Amino acid sequence: MGLKKAFFLLSFCGLLVSMCLFAVIWFVCQNLMNRYPSGGIVIGADGQITELEKPTHEENRIREVLSVIPFFSAPVCPVLGLGVSGILFYRWKLKKGLALLREGTERIGAHDLDFSFPAVSKDELGEVCGAFESMRAELQKTNRELWRQNEERKRLNAAFAHDLRNPVTVLKGTVRLLKESRQDAQAIERLESYTARIEEYINAMSGIQKLEQMPVRKKEVSLAVLAEELRESAQMLCPSMEIKFYAPGTGKAVMDHGMFLTVAENLIGNGGRFAEKKLEIGLFIKEDMLYLQVVDDGPGFSDKLLREEVKPFQREEADGNHFGMGLYGCSLLCAKHGGKLHRKNRTEGGAEVTASFHII
């Protein structure tokens, strides 16, 4: 029942009950007054005059009071009836809904959106509560979306900082070699290549909102070039390590060159960070997939990390210089390139990480 209909129905019932109450009061007062002598005379049909019993002073006062009660009841009863109707209307139709709205407003003001409005009624107030619930749900959805975008931006910034670390390390090593006047015919070419790659990476990252949107730009690349770049990166990123390298001498692959190098540098950098003395880097092709394998002789992955999926900000130990984005970024880039990232511990000790790329 609607609020307007309920209000008029309760008001009508209140007035009706008040009129009945007034009639009862008037009837009772009249009956009580008739029990007391009123005094005066009565003239009969034959003209005989009979004097009635005179009331005492106390009886006169009682009769006066009984005559006044209906007079005051006439306005009091309707007011009382309407008042009771208003109270009942508030308790039955408004109290619960207003309490829910008040509580909901306070919780929203406290930035707590993890609640819901129950169905109060099918009247206008129920519609208001339903609209309030829709607004709360929309606010919660918007807040979650903002939180998700913030987390995506956080991941993107961390990946951006992480993936720039390795090429910058290579550039710094190249500059150091040039300053020391070492004979390195490819130093200038390496500087130019890595500078262009960083510029391309910055342009790509600035145009996306999350890592999954990283574009894949495939082109034909010689495996010999990839192998040489892997050797140079390993020498720059792990200068104190004994590095064993194996790769095919010939062949070509159609792939995103920069994406491959980003994955390779992350895996080599991680391997060099945990290795004790040796690092093995392998590159091989099987059917239409290119595999990059990095093996170290370190402590290997913990059981917890091997059980879990690769996640952002996941790391073996707390280290302010590392964001825990390396393997996660590699996993995403491999997936973008039609491959995947696989990690395991070797029985003879050390960790093995294999990244695959679809090259056709």
Side-chain angles (χ1 to χ4, degrees):
M1 184 183 296
L3 293 179
K4 185 185 295 184
K5 187 176 181 180
F7 176 77
F8 281 112
L9 181 60
L10 284 173
S11 298
F12 174 77
C13 291
L15 288 174
L16 183 62
V17 171
S18 66
M19 291 174 64
C20 293
L21 179 62
F22 172 74
V24 170
I25 292 174
W26 181 84
F27 180 76
V28 170
C29 288
Q30 288 299 318
N31 284 340
L32 290 176
M33 288 177 63
N34 291 336
R35 293 182 182 181
Y36 298 100
S38 59
I41 59 175
V42 175
I43 301 176
D46 56 359
Q48 183 178 357
I49 299 174
T50 304
E51 186 176 358
L52 299 176
E53 180 185 357
K54 293 182 179 181
T56 64
H57 178 71
E58 186 66 25
E59 289 174 338
N60 274 332
R61 292 189 60 184
I62 293 175
R63 285 179 60 86
E64 289 176 359
V65 170
L66 291 174
S67 64
V68 170
I69 289 177
F71 176 77
F72 283 104
S73 297
V76 170
C77 286
V79 172
L80 183 63
L82 289 175
V84 173
S85 299
I87 293 174
L88 293 177
F89 178 75
Y90 173 78
R91 291 180 62 86
W92 291 346
K93 305 296 290 185
L94 300 179
K95 184 177 180 180
K96 185 177 179 180
L98 292 177
L100 288 174
L101 289 173
R102 186 182 302 110
E103 180 185 359
T105 303
E106 292 174 354
R107 295 184 69 170
I108 291 176
H111 305 288
D112 176 15
L113 298 173
D114 192 19
F115 69 98
S116 62
F117 279 92
V120 179
S121 60
K122 296 182 179 180
D123 53 29
E124 292 87 340
L125 186 59
E127 294 176 359
V128 172
C129 290
F132 206 95
E133 168 62 15
S134 299
M135 181 190 71
R136 180 208 62 80
E138 191 63 29
L139 282 174
Q140 187 177 45
K141 179 181 177 182
T142 302
N143 279 3
R144 286 177 177 173
E145 179 64 19
L146 290 174
W147 179 85
R148 186 193 64 79
Q149 291 178 1
N150 184 61
E151 288 298 306
E152 291 290 349
R153 178 56 59 182
K154 183 179 177 182
R155 287 169 49 201
L156 193 64
N157 291 341
F160 185 74
H162 184 279
D163 291 343
L164 281 181
R165 184 188 300 272
N166 292 323
V168 168
T169 300
V170 174
L171 288 177
K172 289 167 67 176
T174 304
V175 171
R176 186 180 67 253
L177 291 177
L178 290 175
K179 284 184 176 181
E180 293 174 356
S181 299
R182 297 188 186 181
Q183 297 297 322
D184 189 350
Q186 296 180 334
I188 300 299
E189 183 179 347
R190 189 185 303 124
L191 284 174
E192 183 179 5
S193 172
Y194 272 81
T195 302
R197 180 181 156 208
I198 290 175
E199 182 180 12
E200 182 179 345
Y201 181 72
I202 291 174
N203 290 335
M205 293 291 279
S206 63
I208 63 176
Q209 296 296 321
K210 54 184 179 179
L211 287 174
E212 288 80 356
Q213 296 175 345
M214 177 71 75
V216 179
R217 300 184 177 95
K218 291 187 176 183
K219 63 180 181 179
E220 191 175 81
V221 185
S222 168
L223 294 183
V225 171
L226 293 181
E228 183 60 30
E229 289 175 335
L230 289 178
R231 288 191 182 92
E232 291 179 356
S233 297
Q235 291 171 359
M236 294 293 180
L237 296 173
C238 311
S240 61
M241 289 288 161
E242 177 187 341
I243 300 175
K244 182 180 179 181
F245 190 86
Y246 54 93
T250 59
K252 293 183 179 180
V254 179
M255 63 187 308
D256 190 310
H257 190 192
M259 194 173 286
F260 171 82
L261 289 180
T262 298
V263 173
E265 289 167 354
N266 277 322
L267 297 186
I268 293 172
N270 280 348
R273 188 156 59 95
F274 291 101
E276 293 183 1
K277 295 180 181 179
K278 296 185 298 182
L279 199 64
E280 296 181 15
I281 303 172
L283 188 67
F284 57 93
I285 292 180
K286 186 176 181 180
E287 296 179 352
D288 58 351
M289 302 295 291
L290 174 68
Y291 294 88
L292 170 65
Q293 190 174 78
V294 178
V295 180
D296 64 65
D297 61 347
F301 295 106
S302 66
D303 293 337
K304 179 183 177 182
L305 283 183
L306 288 178
R307 286 194 304 267
E308 296 177 348
E309 294 183 358
V310 181
K311 298 182 293 187
F313 310 109
Q314 185 183 49
R315 45 193 174 181
E316 292 277 9
E317 57 189 17
D319 187 347
N321 294 322
H322 298 275
F323 302 97
M325 290 294 295
L327 291 181
Y328 175 72
C330 292
S331 177
L332 281 182
L333 294 181
C334 288
K336 289 285 293 183
H337 216 293
K340 62 181 180 179
L341 187 74
H342 178 72
R343 52 187 179 156
K344 69 176 185 178
N345 288 331
R346 286 194 159 188
T347 55
E348 60 269 30
E352 177 185 305
V353 183
T354 304
S356 60
F357 305 85
H358 189 264
I359 56 173
I360 295 178

